[in-house]
Amino acid sequence: MNAPHGDYVQVGKPLPRREDRRLLTGSARFLDDIAVPGALHAAFLRSPHAHARILSIDVASAAAMPGVVAVVTGRDLAKLTTPLVMAPPIENLVPTEMTTLPIDKVRFQGDLVACIVAKDRYLVEDALEAIEVDYEVLRPVTNFAEATAPNAPLVDDTLQSNLLAHQTFQQGDPAARKRGAHAVVEARFSQHRMTHVPIETRGCAAVWDEGREHLTFHIGNQVPHPLRTNLARRMGLAESQITVICPDVGGGFGQKIALYREELTVAALARQLKRPVRWREDRMENLQAASHAREADCVTRASVDNEGRILGLELEITEDFGAYCFYPGNYIARVIALILSGPYRISDYAYDLKVALSNKCGVGPMRAPMAMTSWVMDGTIDAIARQLGLDPVAVRRINMLKPDEFPYTMPTGEVLEDITPAPVFEAVIDAIGYDDFRRRQAEARAHGRYLGLGLCSVVESTTYGSRFYKFAGIAGSGHEAAWVRIEPSGAINASVGLMGTGQGYETPLAQAVAEGLGVDASRVRILLGNTDVAPYGMGSRGARGATAGGGALFLCGRKAQAHVLRIAAHILNLNSAEELRLRDGSVERCLDGEWTAAGLGIEDVARLAYLDPMALPSGMDPGLDFSLTYDPPPMTYSNSAHACEIEFDPGSGAVTITRYVVAEDCGTALNPMIVHGQQQGAIAMGLSGALLEQVFYDANGQNLSSTLADYTVATACEIPNLEIISMNTPNKRTPVGQKGMAEGGVMGAIGAIANAVNDALTPFGVVADRQPLTAPYLHGLVNGRR
Amino acid sequence: MKPAAFEYHRPESVDQVVALLAQFDGEAQIIAGGQSLTPMLSFRMSRPAHLIDVNALTSLDCIRVIDGVLEIGALTRHHRIATDPLVHAHCPLLAEAAGTIGHYAIRQRGTIGGSLAHADPSAQLPLITTLLNAEIVLAGRNGQRAVPARGFFLGSLDTAIEPGEIIVCVRIRIPAVDAGWSFELFSQRRGDFAIVAVAVLLLLGETGKVERLSIAIAGIGPTPLSMDNVSQASLGRMPDAAWQSELVTTLGDSLEPDDNPKFPALYRKDLARNLLTRALASALSRAERSRA
Amino acid sequence: MSDPVLIRLAVNGDTHTAAVPARKLLSDVLREDLGLTGTHVGCEHGVCGACTILLDGRPARSCLMFAVQAEGHQITTIESVAVNGSLSPLQQALHEQHGLQCGFCTPGIVMTFEAYLRENGSPTEAEVRDVLSGNLCRCTGYQNIVAAILSAAEAMRGDEP
């Protein structure tokens, strides 16, 4: 079913984006730009405490405030909705359940207490101040250690302990490798809590049509169909009673996947009140209570020989999952553990992962949920080099998989193929001028200046096929669905179950359809995000867009082309369509090895198919309407190598990035301009997170990072220009050789910057093993403080 | 994040402002550029019953030089101060510092009067006015009074402005034309409030010895600190390397930053030493250049 | 105390009247009362820059002003930047150089630099980055925005290539 790789006409062009015009001129439609006549505004009362019992809620004064239409609490919502049950069939994962709004207890600062619906947002905020809540404040647990200490207060009173998951794995005999090793190198990595900060916060607008008993739910979300499924289930509606419509979305990064409690509340209230209700999350709510990400600690123990060759590897990972499970609690840590070995040859491997609840905002996936993987692995390599006095490049080379070793089965059973770690690594070493850097570094040190170079190789798991889900024991599927419709005029509409949040899907996906169908991409319009229009798909998460979505659309385009050519052959009185193809909308015929125009266009075929069906080949149905589903390989991988050069100022502790080179092999790029943009954006997000961002809770569980002045996302002055080396080794199992990408940049940046900082810190004899790598932290380290 | 309700007033003269302040006695808040106040209103950390908008007092948007004094009206925007030829000519230190406040769009709106009245402990203009001991002129029911900057900042977000008063202008005695100066700021990101900031004004005498030295530092305590009590010991000394390092040590030792979880006291103290070293070197090099 | 006041706003050359409470932010009035939804609200505390508009030709955060304060001033929003459907050089450069992704921050960036490039027609990269630091973008990593602004400046100067 695969096309030959190579000569693509539409795929691979750096076409500028379709979406830009509306976005540049202020005529795009984001959620809050949609006028919903008569809509009421919802807002939520949130807990000021990290952990407290709700003794009573008095809403009487609030209900009497001007403009207030309804005030509801958890008890009210429990009558309108069912709880979220998170109980996938996963071994050693504790099932959890949460009501739509808390009823008896709040579990983190910013947790929901009540909802008010009023005429406008100003009045609703006035009314929130009038709700009186009596709390019994409880002791919070604010990190993994506290959460798992004996007699720790329970975050979820229905559970036996705060330990949500504990899973172990072993392949080979890592304990034996330790005994036989030249050295066992232990390294620690502490990844701090972050949050996504889409510039557009969450929000939704629910319109209930009482006559039709139908809900139209406008929401910026990455997975419209799964969202609809959840919404229907929890409201007791059929999926045919809900239309989810996603408008333009101002960034998601994983924050806009789950059906959140606020959104369900708004939908339920619209139905209950029989009036449209809308909600726009404010920035403080977004930073405190939307979703957090990433807080995990890793310890690795690598058994090595005297050249730094890894004989065995052990990983311990602990994760603080926050107060609520919108996702299976083990899943993020599990992916880190599954793909840890990345581009390196490791046969004996064991992991131990533990995930605990705490009195902080719940955690979810954020662009590269497994972001710390490459930092942990390449940081372990650097630790080996440090401890054995070896060159970090040499240790990488000796352990890195060579081109002839693929396909390679990782110790966890994952199969890597069509990836190029060694060539990509060498390209970066060459581009950064590694040897020359070491000379400059020595020279600078002699003048009291501290340069550092960090390397990080990434193997990014991009597209998860349904076979991976089955293998990993996760409920769900990785397939995707598409339709392509050639209209009577020859215009082309197409749709897929993805939903973009800024990636620029409308252009590369049009290229995928165009390539499959044989027309110019400009003729193809991509429709996304309306569940009545798009086929049921799994949406946008991970890096599945190009492979799952682009693949489905390309194949559907090919299916359409084959059909068009069957009609063309019939019109041309040919026995078969074998010698025909469609190029730029024109039918071409191969005569004596030369393709020549057959004098027939897609418009002619379309006209016939719709308006003169009797002229079609006998038995052929009228119309040109095609659909299919596509299940990608169990897993596809992209790979990259990052090199980051920094200067460290011991006086202030500041890190300045002076150069950044990345080589990435993400297979065939549907649109290289979009791919570059994704590389830049992912690396920037990684650097910003590693250097500046931190969700900061004090010992009482108070969030001290709930404004954008306190949760510090990098500005244009902190992110460098990137030098990108593009490599495009096709994946042999995907439709045009695409692999997916857009998360690996985060993974590589986090590792490269940390390794660069530690390289610069070498003369001080200290190692930075936690992030963020802020000036005060690094300054403290070089001055003997932790 | 929407402000609580208030009644809005847009007076057109200082007298009208003063009358409104008197009328609403303690229930009113003045808004100028609004770059700090509006977020506080939106967070409902500030909830005045009356908001007095002084943006119509255009006569307070002015920069002039009178008798060796640079006078800047309270409504003058940071961007104007940063780019004004008079400020560049007579107090380049102020222009440089004003050009680092927040971001470009913020500087178009934010005013000098607003910044001083807000009195953020790590803000630029409180620091520079403290260094230069500028006079802050207040108008109230009993006419005008001038408060020296070093007596103006009483604490974090707390000033000597009495209820019923409004800042009308700032008067800065123009430093000697050949004075060296420097402004050093360290923040996490571009445009953030300083973790620590230092300003220095240094005048060398004919023999090259220190004739005047003023140092001020922000980010250490609840108000900007004038370090003149320490720096006076430098008068008459040759500004050599030994002087610099002794001075930095003495200054650094005298600092007792309060602790905070993100930027610990020890860090801010070391950072202050580091910035003082750079600031002294930079002021000295400017002073030496203007002597040459 | 929250009774609406009648205000008159000059926006993009047109005069609008609206009855709004004094506490209503300019960003909200532009979007809700005037239907000019191109101005986006990203943080409501003056940090992200998405809501930047021009007030008398100068960039201003519309979330840090009350609409009533804008009376008597000329307001310019993103809707007026493209004239008769043709993109400004800055908008065109952002399109060509992939200087936007989700586009939510874009109107604020366009407004900031429509003003800045009039003040400084030949900025350096460092100057562009300094001014751009007032607008947070979570998607692009800024590199293409900076490149687009620099090439727009060049195009506006009419430099020979």
Side-chain angles (χ1 to χ4, degrees):
Chain A
M1 77 175 199
N2 296 333
H5 296 296
D7 301 325
Y8 297 117
V9 180
Q10 298 298 323
V11 158
K13 282 190 199 169
L15 298 179
R17 305 194 321 164
R18 300 276 182 82
E19 317 54 1
D20 287 359
R21 186 166 189 88
R22 63 179 191 263
L23 295 168
L24 281 163
T25 54
S27 49
R29 285 286 171 270
F30 292 92
L31 180 84
D32 251 13
D33 306 340
I34 300 167
V36 180
L40 301 168
H41 289 252
F44 293 88
L45 182 71
R46 294 181 180 274
S47 167
H49 306 294
H51 195 191
R53 208 163 297 289
I54 300 173
L55 301 178
S56 67
I57 305 177
D58 182 350
V59 303
S61 337
M65 295 280 287
V68 171
V69 174
V71 187
V72 292
T73 64
R75 263 178 232 293
D76 304 316
L77 263 298
K79 293 172 199 150
L80 308 177
T81 56
T82 61
L84 170 61
V85 178
M86 186 57 64
I90 297 173
E91 214 180 321
N92 295 322
L93 173 68
V94 178
T96 59
E97 191 173 312
M98 77 175 97
T99 53
T100 302
L101 291 183
I103 294 173
D104 300 318
K105 201 171 95 161
V106 284
R107 298 189 195 171
F108 72 97
Q109 188 226 331
D111 201 353
L112 296 164
V113 177
C115 176
I116 301 188
V117 178
K119 264 168 49 186
D120 73 44
R121 179 76 190 210
Y122 289 77
L123 295 174
V124 81
E125 292 196 17
D126 292 346
L128 285 178
E129 297 183 317
I131 298 180
E132 286 170 36
V133 186
D134 194 8
Y135 295 102
E136 177 197 345
V137 176
L138 305 172
R139 183 160 68 89
V141 289
T142 61
N143 56 47
F144 182 88
E146 278 178 30
T148 52
N151 303 318
L154 286 177
V155 175
D156 182 339
D157 292 343
T158 67
L159 305 183
Q160 299 299 307
S161 82
N162 293 320
L163 192 66
L164 197 57
H166 182 191
Q167 298 178 326
T168 57
F169 169 88
Q170 183 174 319
Q171 168 67 28
D173 191 349
R177 299 289 86 76
K178 266 159 107 171
R179 289 192 294 275
H182 167 73
V184 177
V185 178
E186 182 174 293
R188 290 172 177 275
F189 307 87
S190 178
Q191 174 83 81
H192 58 297
R193 182 170 273 248
M194 296 180 216
T195 186
H196 313 63
V197 197
I199 305 295
E200 183 192 32
T201 55
R202 294 179 300 155
C204 58
V207 182
W208 175 255
D209 183 329
E210 178 68 9
R212 291 182 172 80
E213 295 188 297
H214 185 93
L215 178 74
T216 301
F217 197 58
H218 302 271
I219 181 170
N221 187 277
Q222 302 170 221
V223 296
H225 290 95
L227 184 89
R228 187 187 69 184
T229 299
N230 288 327
L231 196 54
R233 182 186 299 142
R234 297 192 59 195
M235 291 179 74
L237 293 172
E239 285 191 79
S240 52
Q241 286 180 283
I242 299 179
T243 303
V244 170
I245 303 178
C246 299
D248 287 316
V249 186
F253 314 110
Q255 196 173 68
K256 297 174 181 172
I257 295 175
L259 170 63
Y260 290 103
R261 299 177 297 170
E262 296 92 336
E263 297 155 356
L264 176 58
T265 300
V266 167
L269 290 178
R271 182 185 181 193
Q272 171 78 3
L273 299 169
K274 303 183 176 47
R275 293 174 70 176
V277 181
R278 68 190 311 159
W279 171 62
R280 162 58 71 208
E281 176 185 54
D282 70 32
R283 182 55 67 183
M284 188 177 259
E285 295 179 285
N286 180 261
L287 291 170
Q288 281 182 355
S291 173
H292 290 170
R294 302 227 199 288
E295 188 175 3
D297 290 351
C298 287
V299 182
T300 57
R301 283 177 212 92
S303 306
V304 294
D305 69 12
N306 62 352
E307 290 179 298
R309 191 173 284 107
I310 298 172
L311 311 171
L313 182 67
E314 294 174 357
L315 167 74
E316 283 170 21
I317 177 166
T318 57
E319 183 179 357
D320 176 342
F321 208 67
Y324 291 102
C325 298
F326 289 95
Y327 301 90
N330 69 317
Y331 121 77
I332 293 169
R334 178 80 182 273
V335 175
I336 294 172
L338 276 178
I339 64 165
L340 179 71
S341 60
Y344 301 111
R345 192 184 307 103
I346 293 170
S347 51
D348 297 67
Y349 174 60
Y351 69 73
D352 180 299
L353 79 82
K354 293 191 181 115
V355 182
L357 293 171
S358 73
N359 291 113
K360 298 192 291 199
C361 178
V363 158
M366 171 170 159
R367 192 174 198 167
M370 65 305 196
M372 76 184 295
T373 309
S374 307
W375 173 36
V376 173
M377 191 61 234
D378 263 42
T380 298
I381 298 260
D382 276 1
I384 294 166
R386 266 196 305 274
Q387 186 166 325
L388 272 57
L390 299 170
D391 183 309
V393 168
V395 179
R396 281 173 174 78
R397 281 184 181 140
I398 205 167
N399 286 294
M400 195 171 283
L401 293 163
K402 306 229 164 1
D404 62 4
E405 294 178 78
F406 295 99
Y408 176 81
T409 304
M410 297 167 95
T412 49
E414 289 299 298
V415 179
L416 300 175
E417 59 184 324
D418 298 330
I419 64 166
T420 54
V424 158
F425 177 70
E426 296 303 335
V428 157
I429 291 296
D430 190 42
I432 198 90
Y434 184 74
D435 295 335
D436 185 57
F437 171 79
R438 290 291 175 218
R439 184 190 56 72
R440 285 189 290 121
Q441 182 182 42
E443 236 174 65
R445 276 182 195 164
H447 293 92
R449 289 177 53 204
Y450 300 92
L451 311 186
L453 178 66
L455 301 167
C456 189
S457 288
V458 177
V459 174
E460 173 190 358
S461 47
T462 52
T463 316
Y464 300 48
S466 57
R467 274 157 292 182
F468 176 83
Y469 283 85
K470 191 83 179 167
F471 167 74
I474 304 170
S477 171
H479 77 276
E480 192 47 67
W483 60 251
V484 171
R485 222 178 271 149
I486 303 166
E487 307 294 353
S489 64
I492 296 139
N493 283 308
S495 183
V496 66
L498 305 176
M499 179 58 211
T501 51
Q503 297 91 333
Y505 279 160
E506 291 171 35
T507 311
L509 294 181
Q511 289 172 267
V513 173
E515 186 68 50
L517 179 53
V519 297
D520 191 81
S522 63
R523 294 174 76 131
V524 182
R525 169 175 175 241
I526 299 290
L527 296 125
L528 299 172
N530 182 325
T531 54
D532 286 353
V533 175
Y536 195 112
M538 297 305 153
S540 293
R541 52 189 303 178
R544 68 192 301 274
T547 307
L553 284 167
F554 169 79
L555 294 172
C556 197
R558 285 221 316 184
K559 185 174 170 182
Q561 179 178 183
H563 188 90
V564 165
L565 294 180
R566 273 197 295 278
I567 299 172
H570 181 70
I571 296 172
L572 295 169
N573 288 315
L574 301 175
N575 290 329
S576 94
E578 258 172 43
E579 300 293 295
L580 296 180
R581 70 177 190 185
L582 202 58
R583 272 293 162 94
D584 198 12
S586 296
V587 177
E588 293 181 355
R589 186 172 177 188
C590 190
L591 292 170
D592 305 327
E594 292 281 322
W595 289 99
T596 51
L600 195 64
I602 192 170
E603 306 85 347
D604 305 311
V605 173
R607 201 176 309 117
L608 199 75
Y610 282 92
L611 305 176
D612 190 7
M614 299 310 291
L616 290 171
S618 76
M620 186 181 274
D621 290 334
L624 293 171
D625 199 340
F626 310 91
S627 64
L628 58 70
T629 58
Y630 166 60
D631 195 0
M635 183 70 84
T636 58
Y637 292 93
S638 280
N639 67 288
S640 59
H642 297 239
C644 175
E645 195 181 316
I646 61 126
E647 178 158 3
F648 171 66
D649 172 18
S652 65
V655 171
T656 306
I657 301 166
T658 48
R659 202 174 163 207
Y660 200 108
V661 182
V662 57
E664 181 156 28
D665 187 343
C666 57
T668 304
L670 298 182
N671 180 323
M673 185 189 78
I674 301 280
V675 166
H676 270 210
Q678 291 298 311
Q679 288 164 328
Q680 290 163 346
I683 289 169
M685 184 171 271
L687 294 175
S688 176
L691 289 172
L692 289 161
E693 296 171 29
Q694 184 171 24
V695 174
F696 200 99
Y697 280 97
D698 71 10
N700 299 317
Q702 289 293 310
N703 186 326
L704 303 183
S705 48
S706 31
T707 76
L708 284 181
D710 300 294
Y711 188 84
T712 46
V713 172
T715 78
C717 291
E718 288 81 43
I719 300 296
N721 285 323
L722 309 177
E723 299 165 44
I724 298 174
I725 301 164
S726 299
M727 298 170 92
N728 301 95
T729 310
N731 181 309
K732 290 192 286 289
R733 292 175 189 270
T734 63
V736 294
Q738 74 274 51
K739 294 172 175 172
M741 52 84 59
E743 295 195 318
V746 180
M747 303 169 74
I750 286 176
I753 185 77
N755 293 341
V757 166
N758 280 324
D759 187 42
L761 293 182
T762 308
F764 300 93
V766 292
V767 175
D769 59 11
R770 64 180 166 90
Q771 295 191 4
L773 301 158
T774 63
Y777 167 51
L778 298 177
H779 181 272
L781 263 189
V782 300
N783 285 284
R785 301 190 291 267
R786 287 282 307 181
Chain B
M1 273 175 58
K2 305 292 181 189
F6 52 76
E7 199 172 315
Y8 175 77
H9 307 271
R10 187 163 50 209
E12 290 179 353
S13 70
V14 172
D15 288 348
Q16 287 177 14
V17 174
V18 170
L20 286 167
L21 287 170
Q23 185 186 341
F24 303 124
D25 191 25
E27 298 286 309
Q29 170 73 51
I30 293 173
I31 187 164
Q35 305 299 287
S36 299
L37 179 61
T38 315
M40 292 172 71
L41 295 169
S42 287
F43 287 123
R44 301 196 178 200
M45 289 158 63
S46 171
R47 38 196 317 158
H50 298 271
L51 196 66
I52 303 177
D53 182 354
V54 297
N55 282 284
L57 275 62
T58 47
S59 64
L60 297 188
D61 180 359
C62 67
I63 296 175
R64 60 189 169 200
V65 173
I66 311 166
D67 296 337
V69 170
L70 178 67
E71 185 180 292
I72 302 178
L75 199 64
T76 311
R77 319 272 168 186
H78 305 320
H79 184 70
R80 178 166 174 199
I81 296 173
T83 53
D84 186 88
L86 277 179
V87 182
H88 272 270
H90 298 293
C91 197
L93 166 61
L94 176 64
E96 171 151 319
T100 67
I101 299 171
H103 302 280
Y104 185 68
I106 300 290
R107 294 193 292 273
Q108 309 294 327
R109 296 293 301 157
T111 67
I112 186 167
S115 171
L116 298 177
H118 182 61
D120 188 288
S122 46
Q124 284 84 341
L125 298 180
L127 174 70
I128 302 299
T129 51
T130 296
L131 177 86
L132 301 171
N133 204 17
E135 280 186 351
I136 295 156
V137 180
L138 303 167
R141 255 175 300 181
N142 304 319
Q144 295 199 344
R145 67 181 179 118
V147 181
R150 291 182 195 172
F152 180 82
F153 300 104
L154 304 180
S156 177
L157 313 186
D158 187 17
T159 69
I161 303 174
E162 294 288 342
E165 288 186 320
I166 175 180
I167 301 176
V168 289
C169 71
V170 178
R171 294 193 182 127
I172 296 167
R173 169 85 30 208
I174 293 173
V177 67
D178 51 353
W181 56 272
S182 61
F183 173 71
E184 295 285 342
L185 171 153
F186 186 82
S187 61
Q188 280 213 109
R189 296 176 300 177
R190 181 69 56 91
D192 281 351
F193 274 109
I195 300 169
V196 175
V198 171
V200 172
L201 191 75
L202 170 65
L203 188 64
L204 300 180
E206 300 221 334
T207 55
K209 291 180 177 165
V210 175
E211 190 172 299
R212 180 185 167 189
L213 176 62
S214 288
I215 301 170
I217 183 160
I220 298 295
T223 66
L225 301 174
S226 163
M227 310 299 288
D228 281 12
N229 54 336
V230 179
S231 64
Q232 293 323 295
S234 293
L235 302 189
R237 278 198 62 169
M238 285 304 290
D240 52 16
W243 162 79
Q244 277 193 52
S245 77
E246 270 173 46
L247 183 55
V248 170
T249 306
T250 319
L251 287 164
D253 290 350
S254 75
L255 300 175
E256 287 173 8
D258 46 5
D259 216 346
N260 81 49
K262 282 187 184 169
F263 306 110
L266 280 174
Y267 172 64
R268 300 219 310 292
K269 193 162 171 149
D270 274 356
L271 180 60
R273 284 199 190 93
N274 187 256
L275 295 180
L276 282 164
T277 305
R278 276 156 44 183
L280 285 172
S282 157
L284 180 60
S285 111
R286 281 203 176 91
E288 284 174 339
R289 250 181 291 148
S290 56
R291 267 167 46 81
Chain C
M1 199 160 69
S2 57
D3 291 343
V5 289
L6 197 66
I7 61 168
R8 222 183 357 202
L9 294 178
V11 185
N12 301 333
D14 297 328
T15 303
H16 302 259
T17 53
V20 299
R23 62 166 158 167
K24 194 157 185 181
L25 297 166
L26 177 59
S27 45
D28 286 341
V29 170
L30 288 173
R31 295 176 45 78
E32 295 170 13
D33 297 84
L34 273 49
L36 296 169
T37 54
T39 298
H40 297 154
V41 174
C43 76
E44 289 187 297
H45 52 280
V47 181
C48 80
C51 70
T52 306
I53 49 111
L54 303 187
L55 188 82
D56 298 329
R58 294 294 194 165
R61 306 282 203 236
S62 61
C63 78
L64 296 187
M65 281 187 75
F66 300 102
V68 63
Q69 292 188 281
E71 279 193 302
H73 298 275
Q74 297 294 325
I75 295 168
T76 314
T77 68
I78 186 69
E79 285 87 351
S80 74
V81 174
V83 179
N84 296 329
S86 92
L87 298 179
S88 76
L90 177 58
Q91 290 170 319
Q92 186 63 33
L94 285 162
H95 172 58
E96 285 168 9
Q97 312 221 15
H98 191 21
L100 62 152
Q101 288 183 25
C102 83
F104 197 79
C105 69
T106 307
I109 290 172
V110 170
M111 296 320 289
T112 303
F113 281 89
E114 289 290 341
Y116 180 70
L117 293 179
R118 280 202 296 273
E119 181 175 343
N120 180 3
S122 309
T124 63
E125 181 181 334
E127 286 170 333
V128 167
R129 284 184 177 270
D130 180 52
V131 173
L132 186 56
S133 72
N135 295 80
L136 295 180
C137 169
R138 193 60 159 161
C139 295
T140 64
Y142 303 105
Q143 182 165 350
N144 291 352
I145 302 176
V146 172
I149 292 166
L150 288 169
S151 65
E154 197 178 301
M156 289 161 76
R157 289 194 305 268
D159 285 1
E160 295 297 317

